[in-house]
Amino acid sequence: MSNAPRLTALDALHRSLGATMTDFAGWDMPLRYGSERDEHNAVRTKAGLFDLSHMGEITLTGPEAVKVLDYALVGNISTVGVGRARYTHICQEDGGILDDLIVYRLGETEFMVVANASNAQVVLDALTERAAGFDAEVRDDRDAYALIAVQGPQSPGILASLTDADLDGLKYYAGLPGTVAGVPALIARTGYTGEDGFELFVAPEHAVELWQALTKAGEAVGLVPAGLSCRDTLRLEAGMPLYGHELTTSLTPFDAGLGRVVKFEKEGDFVGRAALEAAAERAATNPPRKLVGLVAEGRRVPRAGFSVVAGGQVVGEVTSGAPSPTLGKPIAMAYVDAAHAAPGTSGVGVDIRGTHEPYEVVALPFYKRQK
């Protein structure tokens, strides 16, 4: 097997734009094209264009596809209408999170599961195994799609100039088939930046043509290509979890403050149900560490793995940290003992190379767009 990173259909285009490339989950991906801060601010105020072709698409079809998903995932997928999408988790038997997913219902008996790049194979293997005995087919569609996202307040106008699809009628967490700049696409509206925006699932051979059409359509309103680096600061400001940081196999959805995605009321058993029922009970009686926001009083940036301290004791751990272009200060998400998790709790700091830097505990998200 080759260890060379996989290339997206837009690889040559990124290089022609002068992108700094990086290996991400086995893919060569654009980290930034110019200034991370400029790309971040463009998404917050105008629009940014992202290549997300590294995400893992898995299609389930067949009379019992919905039964597979209700058994394999913690969400109630049978209640998702055709054309709608749902955020959910796939867990181990012990309740640990294997990945967080978006599931699109494309038809009565057809679903697309979108997994994180780093977990796509794990999710594919788990779904294949869990589908045994059901009248359904699990298909690896990672090579069938390129994925381009346009995010930011100007994105509806940019996209509307290239499609006659009903974007006004496309709700948050929905998807509809349409044509964008002459290219057949599944147009979705989920986003991972805290801004309005769209994801366009297209055949890889149409990716360059679509990217160029979007670039041209967005030129007058300040659209810029945006890399993974600003995607991370955008999602951090929006308080959105990242697998491997806020979500891991050692945490259940209840530990992560995402117990709402687990639907015990659905019919039948699902993988991890017993362990998750126990986790829900534990969380109700003896809350685990809570995921909170931390805002720096100084300039030093906390990083994943740094200890959160109070009164000389370790009371938590940073899961993600970065300078926030929107707030103008370093920010972090951290799991903190319940006693120190209330917004405004005083005396909390982060141990940055031996110095306890003062931080303010705040409720997530750090940033919420004005509707």
Side-chain angles (χ1 to χ4, degrees), residues 203-286:
E205 60 267 26
H206 295 314
V208 170
E209 165 192 358
L210 181 57
W211 180 282
Q212 288 171 336
L214 287 161
T215 299
K216 198 171 173 202
E219 219 162 21
V221 292
L223 173 85
V224 302
L228 290 181
S229 189
C230 83
R231 188 170 150 84
D232 192 48
T233 52
L234 289 159
R235 71 91 197 166
L236 178 55
E237 288 183 352
M240 293 177 169
L242 176 63
Y243 196 86
H245 290 256
E246 289 71 43
L247 308 175
T248 67
T249 49
S250 62
L251 296 170
T252 72
F254 293 95
D255 298 324
L258 291 166
R260 63 181 180 278
V261 306
V262 182
K263 302 300 181 192
F264 293 122
E265 70 275 16
K266 65 177 171 175
E267 277 179 37
D269 195 18
F270 61 89
V271 177
R273 182 193 266 273
L276 289 167
E277 282 172 343
E281 212 165 292
R282 278 199 308 275
T285 52
N286 180 20

Side-chain angles (χ1 to χ4, degrees), residues 66 76-86 103-105 111 173:
V66 72
N76 192 349
I77 306 305
S78 56
T79 60
V80 179
V82 173
R84 297 307 303 264
R86 182 151 304 162
V103 180
Y104 295 90
R105 188 168 201 159
F111 296 81
Y173 268 76

